[in-house]
Amino acid sequence: MNNIPKIKVGIVAVSRDCFPASLAENRRKALTAAYNKKYDAADIYECPITIIESEIDMVNALEDIKKAGCNALCVYLGNFGPEISETLLAKHFDGPKMFCAAAEESQNDLMDGRGDAYCGMLNASYNLALRNVRAYIPEYPVGNAEECADMIHEFLPVARVVEGLSNLKIISFGPRPQNFLACNAPIKQLYNLDVEIEEESELDLFESYQKHEGDKRIPEVVADMAKEMGYAEGKEPAMLPKLAQYELTLLDWVDEHIGYRKYVALTTKCWPAFQDMFKFVPCYVNSRLMRRGIPVSCEVDIYGTLSEYIGLCVSEQEVTLLDINNSVPHDMYDESIKGKYDYNFTDTFMGFHCGNTCSTRINDAHLSFQRIMARTHPQDWCDGTIEGDIKAGDITFYRLQSTADARLRAYVAQGEVLDVATRSFGGIGVFAIHEMGRFYRYWLIGKNFPHHGAVAFGHYGKAIFDAFKYIGVEPEEIGYNQPASLPYPAENPFA
């Protein structure tokens, strides 16, 4: 996907001048060799300059990693480390950064070969706080070469999020639909996250769509849509040319409006006036843009598309945005879940959206019409959804949100989509998350989250949680599905 950053981490070793510099240098070489053996060597760059006490060392190392094209930094404490120079490096490096430290190698070399980086990490963290510098520090940041290589690899998805958001533009069309105030959150936090936003009107979008009528590229896009959905030549639905015209409209808008930003996400007001004017729904096109790495959220959910983009950066594969929609019927639970899966009834729910999930994530994907809109509009004005049951497998449900008073709040929970037929419409699945009932009541409802949640296909909770912390969400504002042994602050102990 070309809409997310490729990270290259510059590894800079640091050494306190009262320790042998060779200790830090040899450990840096061992770390580099360990990473290259286990992971992609293109992920990292070994800076040959060891920072000791001199601020000039820091400047030289900074220039070296910039010249090497690094957009992320690993400050590696090969020994105790110079707390001033090493944190100045982090301060002046414009990009995501992490700190980790070398463990001692052997009980037989604890005289001249002892580095004391375990101690140095404490001073580094204190100095980072003094300078108001955010940095990623692993769960246990001290390790041998192989363990520190793993730490750097775990840093990559966090770094992609940080680098991605600082170069992201969100383009939105239209105000939130009436009675969907939950999607209307203050945009101040977008600027705090270095995200740019361009807010446009549905009229602008409709005008651009009309100008694309007869576009010579439409037949090629129609053919690609037909191939994706498995239609034989001559059997393509009549809706496809309109959807192709709309897809080209959005892609051209991105090209013309991305400006100085590298990455983009979109959000549109997809109902009810959309059907009146465009005479189709945009869901399938949204799913196709996601396959290109461009999230497009529904209902002008700006923080929804932001959340999708975060999951895209972390997982490097398509994600989706779903309503936390309806309870699983008791008879479905009794027949298809109870005794077959290790979930209580209140652990289950259905995630649904009209049809924006990629065809790669849906069983028997097919194009249809939006049933909810068809209750108030002609059915052929509502064509354009992609439907089917979401494929079974591991998922991470998460969201980043601004509160009404412009504070960042988030959640992340791991679970799965069950292999259970939904017997319903839209892009929909039976989801299961342990302790979902309590999580739903005391975090999602209790902390006033909207109905949309982003879904990453796989277990990415650790990286998403760390990314939320790095970008500035206070740890107490990040919710998760707490086990029964750990009550939520507002949970009634007598319930």
Side-chain angles (χ1 to χ4, degrees):
M1 292 180 174
N2 58 9
N3 194 42
I4 58 176
K6 174 65 178 174
I7 297 298
K8 184 176 183 179
V9 182
I11 300 174
V12 180
V14 298
S15 173
R16 193 72 182 263
D17 65 355
C18 51
F19 289 81
S22 59
L23 193 62
E25 291 166 357
N26 290 335
R27 288 174 171 178
R28 182 195 70 216
K29 292 174 182 176
L31 167 58
T32 302
Y35 193 97
N36 291 344
K37 182 178 180 180
K38 192 171 183 180
Y39 302 111
D40 186 350
D43 294 340
I44 62 171
Y45 165 73
E46 182 185 0
C47 176
I49 300 168
T50 300
I51 295 179
I52 306 180
E53 295 292 326
S54 167
E55 294 175 12
I56 302 303
D57 288 342
M58 179 273 294
V59 173
N60 290 337
L62 183 62
E63 291 303 314
D64 183 74
I65 59 175
K66 284 182 179 178
K67 186 177 179 181
C70 298
N71 55 1
L73 167 68
C74 172
V75 178
Y76 177 58
L77 278 67
N79 57 44
F80 190 94
E83 58 195 68
I84 293 175
S85 297
E86 68 194 17
T87 52
L88 279 173
L89 176 66
K91 177 180 179 180
H92 291 294
F93 180 79
D94 185 18
K97 39 255 181 181
M98 70 169 288
F99 278 65
C100 63
E104 312 301 353
E105 282 103 350
S106 171
Q107 62 183 348
N108 299 320
D109 192 19
L110 290 176
M111 299 296 283
D112 292 333
R114 197 189 76 195
D116 298 358
Y118 190 86
C119 184
M121 274 299 301
L122 295 170
N123 281 20
S125 67
Y126 183 77
N127 271 262
L128 287 169
L130 285 176
R131 300 177 192 280
N132 296 312
V133 176
R134 290 179 188 159
Y136 172 81
I137 297 177
E139 295 298 309
Y140 183 73
V142 183
N144 61 25
E146 291 74 18
E147 291 163 341
C148 286
D150 291 340
M151 295 176 202
I152 293 173
H153 191 68
E154 288 188 346
F155 172 57
L156 294 183
V158 178
R160 285 194 296 269
V161 171
V162 177
E163 181 70 5
L165 295 190
S166 67
N167 291 283
L168 178 68
K169 174 181 276 190
I170 295 176
I171 301 173
S172 72
F173 294 98
R176 268 60 63 189
Q178 182 68 3
N179 289 322
F180 273 73
L181 290 177
C183 292
N184 189 354
I187 63 172
K188 173 66 170 92
Q189 283 293 352
L190 298 179
Y191 296 115
N192 291 348
L193 295 169
D194 291 330
V195 174
E196 284 294 324
I197 182 162
E198 174 184 319
E199 295 187 283
E200 300 284 358
S201 127
E202 282 181 290
L203 284 174
D204 296 316
L205 182 60
F206 186 60
E207 178 190 34
S208 181
Y209 171 76
Q210 288 183 316
K211 289 179 178 179
H212 279 77
E213 186 175 356
D215 192 304
K216 294 179 180 179
R217 299 168 293 172
I218 289 175
E220 181 182 353
V221 178
V222 167
D224 188 62
M225 289 177 167
K227 180 180 177 181
E228 177 187 355
M229 301 309 298
Y231 292 112
E233 188 175 352
K235 301 294 184 180
E236 303 93 341
M239 71 177 86
L240 290 192
K242 294 185 291 184
L243 296 177
Q245 181 179 333
Y246 180 67
E247 180 173 309
L248 291 167
T249 301
L250 290 180
L251 291 174
D252 284 352
W253 194 286
V254 166
D255 288 341
E256 294 163 8
H257 289 256
I258 194 169
Y260 76 106
R261 288 281 157 151
K262 297 178 182 178
Y263 314 113
V264 69
L266 305 172
T267 182
T268 60
K269 184 181 178 183
C270 51
W271 64 272
F274 194 98
Q275 290 74 39
D276 295 329
M277 303 305 295
F278 289 83
K279 304 296 192 292
F280 61 88
V281 294
C283 312
Y284 175 52
V285 172
N286 293 355
S287 79
R288 282 175 55 85
L289 264 65
M290 169 53 77
R291 289 188 67 186
R292 291 171 173 258
I294 302 174
V296 189
S297 71
C298 317
E299 295 153 1
V300 199
D301 182 2
I302 293 169
Y303 285 90
T305 201
L306 178 67
S307 300
E308 285 186 281
Y309 186 74
I310 289 170
L312 192 69
C313 288
V314 167
S315 67
E316 296 185 287
Q317 57 184 342
E318 64 268 29
V319 298
T320 193
L321 190 74
L322 300 178
D323 289 354
I324 304 169
N325 198 67
N326 58 281
S327 60
V328 172
H330 273 283
D331 57 352
M332 179 182 287
Y333 175 81
D334 292 340
E335 178 183 313
S336 303
I337 301 173
K338 187 176 181 179
K340 300 177 183 178
Y341 296 96
D342 183 27
Y343 293 106
N344 296 321
F345 173 72
T346 53
D347 294 338
T348 64
F349 67 101
M350 286 194 183
F352 157 87
H353 238 163
C354 313
N356 61 328
T357 302
C358 294
S359 60
T360 52
R361 298 295 177 179
I362 299 176
N363 292 316
D364 302 318
H366 58 278
L367 297 185
S368 187
F369 66 96
Q370 215 281 15
R371 288 176 178 268
I372 298 173
M373 286 295 102
R375 295 166 184 164
T376 56
H377 292 73
Q379 181 175 311
D380 61 351
W381 290 13
C382 303
D383 289 336
T385 62
I386 178 171
E387 297 199 338
D389 283 2
I390 297 172
K391 292 179 179 179
D394 292 338
I395 57 92
T396 305
F397 229 105
Y398 66 99
R399 185 178 176 93
L400 178 66
Q401 180 73 15
S402 172
T403 63
D405 54 352
R407 289 182 295 119
L408 284 177
R409 186 171 288 160
Y411 66 80
V412 56
Q414 294 183 159
E416 63 178 308
V417 178
L418 302 181
D419 188 13
V420 174
T422 67
R423 308 181 190 187
S424 194
F425 65 94
I428 188 168
V430 176
F431 286 72
I433 295 173
H434 287 296
E435 298 298 330
M436 178 64 189
R438 296 171 52 248
F439 178 58
Y440 171 74
R441 172 59 186 89
Y442 292 106
W443 195 261
L444 301 186
I445 293 176
K447 295 294 185 178
N448 314 124
F449 280 94
H451 59 297
H452 286 170
V455 179
F457 295 98
H459 282 170
Y460 298 101
K462 182 181 185 301
I464 293 174
F465 190 95
D466 283 337
F468 285 158
K469 287 196 300 181
Y470 193 116
I471 64 177
V473 188
E474 295 297 332
E476 63 271 17
E477 295 287 7
I478 308 174
Y480 64 97
N481 52 320
Q482 296 178 189
S485 59
L486 182 61
Y488 293 88
E491 190 168 0
N492 189 330
F494 305 103

